[in-house]
Amino acid sequence: MKKLAAQILGPTALVTTALTVYLGIWVTPQDVVQGNLARMLYIHPAAAWIALYVGFGTAIIASLMYLWPRTRSTAADHVAASAMEVTLVFTILTLITGSLWGRPAWGVWWVWDARLTSTAVLAVLVAGYLALRRAIDDPELRARRSAVLALVAAINVPVVHFAVVWWKTLHQGATILTPGSGILVHGIMAWTMLLSFIAFTLVYAWMVRERYRIAIRQQTRDDRELAHAVSARHSEGGAA
Amino acid sequence: MIRVARLVAVKDLRVEWRSRVILWQVLPFGVMTLLLMGFAEGPETTLSPSVAAGLFYVVVLFVSMLVIARSATIESSPGTANSISMLGLDPAGVFLGKATAVFLEVLLSALILLAGTTLLLHLPLALALHSLPSVVLVVMGLSLAGTLYGALTSGLTGSPTLLPLLVLPTMAPLLIAGERTISAIATHQTWSSWLGLLIVFDVGYTVAGILLYGVVEDS
């Protein structure tokens, strides 16, 4: 069952993404105010959903699992690292699509808007996490310190989420995850938007899974090379 | 825990007092940066309190980076980590002690830099005095988060460059809240919500540091 789910993950992600593109470009209507620009609705919020919530959420849970003695495993560390790498991709995608949307809507590519700035800050934080991992050679030290960093960096996620509420700048307020406000997108546009969230989540899951598999292969290769070097040293010692 | 915190704080402050690095290196760097900010703005321009506050906090951030790096270096010097583990000191106490020492050092620097900002960047004195609670809370946040990040990067080959990469983005909410507090006071708007944000940040990092410093120290 688990193997079947893993096998169909990639194709399902591809199909839902293709369907989102089809519905987003050819089926959904133009917006009354924004025209074709509103089609960014099917990319930008879904990318932000992955960057802010799903990606960080995965990394936090995996990091907690690594730090908790009963659930500690190198697999948890690999999942956290893979999630953070993919999160960086989606955070950059969020910033790029936001900038593309902002140019015609606000007249500039970039403004010092609260949510834009805090998302950029988040991207640097994720880059910092990856830089920390690259700076440490010892696998256990790397896993432990990066798990702590992931948890500490997560304190910034609520700041990004509430940025539009606290600062009330150009970026529109939350429309989907704000209790009481209701959903402000309707009909086929709402369904396509929902599909984009599903498609991006599946793509994210597929990317994390593939990155995780590469990490496992790298670890196996490193272990093999280390064992080979140790046995070579032993045989040198025996010959002497 | 409090006893250990006091012990570690006194130890760090004593090391600092003997070396006087803050007095002769860090503070002159901060004052020089403030002067450069003035040069960059030009003689014809009068800075608004909001801009002056923002520049003040940027300089405090730079100064705190140096203090945090020094604090982490003390702990990573040969034998120190072994000595601490042999003594069996409570890691939460060590964290609080180190954060307290950094707090006092950065606060002293920040107060001098605030005076420098009123003098060099024309931040009104009354406004500077009114903003003292937010300055204290910002410095507290810098110290708490910085101590934790300092421990995370200590002993690593790339730590001098890694520390700013990790710390600077984390400090962004502090910087914004600190600047917005001074701007709100200047324009007679309510600023309690910004103080609330600073308190939440400080409490969050205190809890995170108490819980996680031991994990980092063990590694």
Side-chain angles (χ1 to χ4, degrees):
Chain A
M1 186 66 190
K2 202 174 164 184
K3 199 176 176 184
L4 181 70
Q7 277 176 344
I8 62 165
L9 182 62
T12 315
L14 191 67
V15 169
T16 49
T17 305
L19 200 56
T20 305
V21 171
Y22 171 71
L23 291 173
I25 294 177
W26 287 288
V27 178
T28 52
Q30 290 185 8
D31 183 67
V32 177
V33 180
Q34 295 193 37
N36 278 323
L37 197 60
R39 297 186 198 282
M40 290 296 273
L41 200 64
Y42 314 123
I43 306 173
H44 180 69
W49 151 255
I50 298 295
L52 293 181
Y53 308 108
V54 180
F56 255 95
T58 314
I60 290 165
I61 291 168
S63 298
L64 275 172
M65 284 176 72
Y66 184 83
L67 290 177
W68 193 254
R70 286 186 184 178
T71 50
R72 180 168 297 164
S73 68
T74 48
D77 176 51
H78 288 319
V79 170
S82 307
M84 278 297 210
E85 270 190 29
V86 180
T87 299
L88 183 61
V89 173
F90 278 93
T91 311
I92 292 169
L93 184 66
T94 306
L95 287 170
I96 292 171
T97 53
S99 188
L100 289 172
W101 201 348
R103 179 72 179 91
W106 300 333
V108 283
W109 293 105
W110 181 269
V111 282
W112 290 107
D113 169 82
R115 184 160 271 187
L116 265 68
T117 310
S118 50
T119 307
V121 163
L122 203 66
V124 180
L125 257 176
V126 178
Y129 173 92
L130 298 174
L132 180 76
R133 289 190 71 86
R134 290 185 73 85
I136 309 172
D137 290 327
D138 177 30
E140 201 195 324
L141 182 71
R142 181 173 59 219
R144 196 179 273 246
R145 289 201 181 183
S146 48
V148 171
L149 178 60
L151 295 182
V152 175
I155 296 175
N156 272 47
V157 175
V159 174
V160 178
H161 177 75
F162 292 111
V164 284
V165 182
W166 292 338
W167 284 287
K168 293 187 176 64
T169 45
L170 272 174
H171 197 287
Q172 71 163 75
T175 50
I176 294 170
L177 292 177
T178 305
S181 73
I183 294 180
L184 303 176
V185 185
H186 300 282
I188 187 70
M189 292 174 86
W191 286 111
T192 309
M193 195 176 171
L194 178 68
L195 184 67
S196 73
F197 276 72
I198 295 168
F200 274 59
T201 307
L202 289 170
V203 169
Y204 164 81
W206 178 78
M207 286 173 80
V208 170
R209 181 175 172 270
E210 291 305 309
R211 184 63 190 89
Y212 171 80
R213 287 172 68 184
I214 292 169
I216 294 290
R217 279 190 220 120
Q218 276 175 334
Q219 193 194 345
T220 312
R221 188 202 58 192
D222 291 347
D223 290 347
R224 201 186 308 131
E225 281 179 359
L226 183 67
H228 184 71
V230 169
S231 71
R233 181 57 65 90
H234 276 305
S235 57
E236 276 174 23
Chain B
M1 187 169 77
I2 301 297
R3 193 181 62 83
V4 173
R6 200 173 58 210
L7 203 71
V8 173
V10 169
K11 184 259 296 177
D12 276 15
L13 289 171
R14 196 173 284 150
V15 169
E16 189 44 56
W17 177 251
R18 284 178 186 156
S19 67
R20 288 182 171 77
V21 168
I22 289 183
L23 187 65
W24 296 115
Q25 293 175 22
V26 176
L27 263 176
F29 163 77
V31 174
M32 194 61 224
T33 314
L34 268 184
L35 278 171
L36 287 175
M37 299 283 189
F39 290 154
E41 201 58 38
E44 293 86 15
T45 318
T46 307
L47 294 177
S48 69
S50 172
V51 176
L55 294 178
F56 159 72
Y57 277 117
V58 169
V59 176
V60 170
L61 194 58
F62 288 160
V63 164
S64 69
M65 289 301 311
L66 297 177
V67 177
I68 290 161
R70 268 190 58 72
S71 171
T73 309
I74 293 171
E75 235 51 48
S76 63
S77 57
T80 310
N82 277 342
S83 305
I84 288 175
S85 63
M86 294 296 279
L87 285 168
L89 296 177
D90 180 7
V94 176
F95 167 74
L96 288 178
K98 291 198 76 64
T100 305
V102 171
F103 169 71
L104 292 173
E105 290 163 12
V106 179
L107 184 65
L108 180 69
S109 311
L111 292 177
I112 293 167
L113 289 169
L114 190 62
T117 310
T118 59
L119 194 71
L120 302 170
L121 303 180
H122 310 297
L123 183 74
L125 183 64
L127 191 57
L129 292 174
H130 269 99
S131 64
L132 278 178
S134 75
V135 173
V136 171
L137 288 172
V138 169
V139 171
M140 199 178 282
L142 289 173
S143 314
L144 289 161
T147 303
L148 194 53
Y149 282 104
L152 272 172
T153 56
S154 75
L156 305 181
T157 44
S159 61
T161 45
L162 200 54
L163 183 64
L165 179 65
L166 296 182
V167 172
L168 291 178
T170 313
M171 303 305 184
L174 286 177
L175 196 76
I176 295 167
E179 183 276 320
R180 298 307 298 176
T181 309
I182 296 181
S183 298
I185 296 169
T187 53
H188 306 290
Q189 290 173 343
T190 54
W191 44 283
S192 54
S193 59
W194 295 109
L195 281 188
L197 176 64
L198 289 171
I199 290 168
V200 168
F201 188 96
D202 291 356
V203 171
Y205 269 95
T206 305
V207 174
I210 287 173
L211 292 176
L212 298 171
Y213 193 81
V215 179
V216 180
E217 213 179 39
D218 282 348
S219 64

